Amino acid sequence: MINKQNNLLAINGGTPITKEKVLIHKPYLLEDDFKAVDETTRTTFISGNGPKCMEFEKKLADYLGVKHVFFTNSCTTALDLAFKAKNFPAGSEVIVPNFTYTSSALGPLLNNLKIVLCDVYPDNGNIDVSKIETLITNKTVAIVPVDYAGNPAEMDEINAIAKKHNLYVVHDTAQSIGAEYKNRKTGTLADVSTFSFHGTKNLTTGEGGALLTNDDEIAKRVTFMREKGTDKQSFLVDNKDRGFYEYVDIGSSFVQSNILGALGITQLNKIEEITQKRTQIAEYYKNELANIRGLDFIRITDNSKPNWHLFGILVSPEQRYWIMDALRAEGIMSNVHYTPLHRNKFYKGMATDKEMQGSMKFFSRLLRLPIYPSLTQNEVENVIKAARKIFS
Ligand SMILES: Cc1ncc(COP(=O)(O)O)c(C=O)c1O
């Protein structure tokens, strides 16, 4: 039971659990990362799609067991490319979960497609599979499931619906590198998947992303479109008898610097360690915070192993902001997440709160706690102490 008047709480003038703030996020960058960036910066190849980028793509493809990997400058551009590669008629419809980052919707929108919002489960924020078919019309061409917090969406069910209605599946795996669904890694579970390597993600290149696919046709188009519509890729890979490259298609510049390719490699070398450390922290939180009345955890998808990109707790909507402020006063940085799309200025009018009850319930209960590999045991204990103090 929460007693908001408790004088011992730092928010009410009591002594905080820690004076050293426990940050909500820190990138996991070690000496091998700094060295790789330094060494590559000193080579003459620092521009786009260099040898380090290609090595990173190859290593990521091997790690996942996927045929084609395209390192891009963000997940947002990878989502854009995923739709650019298909040429769907303008106005075709794409089903997007209502609880996601705007980029999941921008991919279709940037390609003159219409988005149709689908509600999510109130207990984990992933697309509510039971609602997808009710939204399919003769204009529907694709679905964009998202793995919220690195907890995989129900991809078998989603792919089955897609197969039945001949739909394209673009899996927004921005948050889920290293996660598994039925013993298969995310990034391999749909027609196209898209990772983010933004500074907050489990594997980071500062900014960055990747498009992954087993489809040769999609890969062929993406190869040109990522490079301003040119065939520079073949020029870079095999430049024996050609001194030029051609402009063969429409496109834009979605390539990454060779410096970031080098960073991708050293980060990928640590991915198992990163996932393991995050999993240990998540399990510790779950053990230590179990059985607190009014504090629930996000439901994990059956037969899945999340990568624990985020650790969310679900609390009472009426007290959520107060709990966030109380945690912060104790020295623990906590935060809310994603205002449902339909509640944002740009998407307003596309759905009502009544139609989006799952998203509204999840959003209004969600608080995120610090989780990252460099979080010390002392910091983890402080998070737990602060939560117990507030909920006691
Ligand atoms: C679900 C989802 N999709 C896409 C993105 C965009 O990623 P990026 O910043 O790499 O473009 C994010 C960013 O956090 C995200 O959470």
Side-chain angles (χ1 to χ4, degrees), residues 74-77 79 100-101 103-104 146 172 174-175 195-198 200-201 207-209 338:
S74 69
C75 178
T76 307
T77 53
L79 286 157
T100 185
Y101 194 64
S103 305
S104 318
V146 174
D172 182 346
Q175 304 184 7
F195 286 133
S196 171
F197 305 135
H198 175 257
T200 55
K201 299 302 188 295
E207 295 283 350
Y338 292 162

Side-chain angles (χ1 to χ4, degrees), residues 291-330:
N291 306 320
I292 294 183
R293 253 180 61 205
L295 187 158
D296 295 320
F297 303 116
I298 293 180
R299 177 178 57 81
I300 302 308
T301 302
D302 286 348
N303 303 311
S304 292
K305 284 191 200 152
N307 69 353
W308 295 104
H309 170 56
L310 304 173
F311 190 88
I313 54 171
L314 301 175
V315 301
S316 130
E318 292 74 31
Q319 293 177 323
R320 179 177 70 143
Y321 284 111
W322 182 86
I323 296 169
M324 183 179 86
D325 291 341
L327 280 165
R328 288 181 178 184
E330 299 295 343

Side-chain angles (χ1 to χ4, degrees), residues 99-117:
F99 186 81
T100 185
Y101 194 64
T102 189
S103 305
S104 318
L106 290 178
L109 289 171
L110 288 167
N111 290 279
N112 300 317
L113 307 176
K114 187 181 162 209
I115 58 156
V116 174
L117 300 179

Side-chain angles (χ1 to χ4, degrees), residues 143-169:
I143 315 176
V144 186
V146 174
D147 299 337
Y148 181 67
N151 176 39
E154 291 162 336
M155 292 309 294
D156 276 359
E157 288 82 351
I158 294 165
N159 283 326
I161 295 170
K163 197 166 173 206
K164 182 170 155 197
H165 298 274
N166 193 25
L167 307 177
Y168 179 52
V169 180

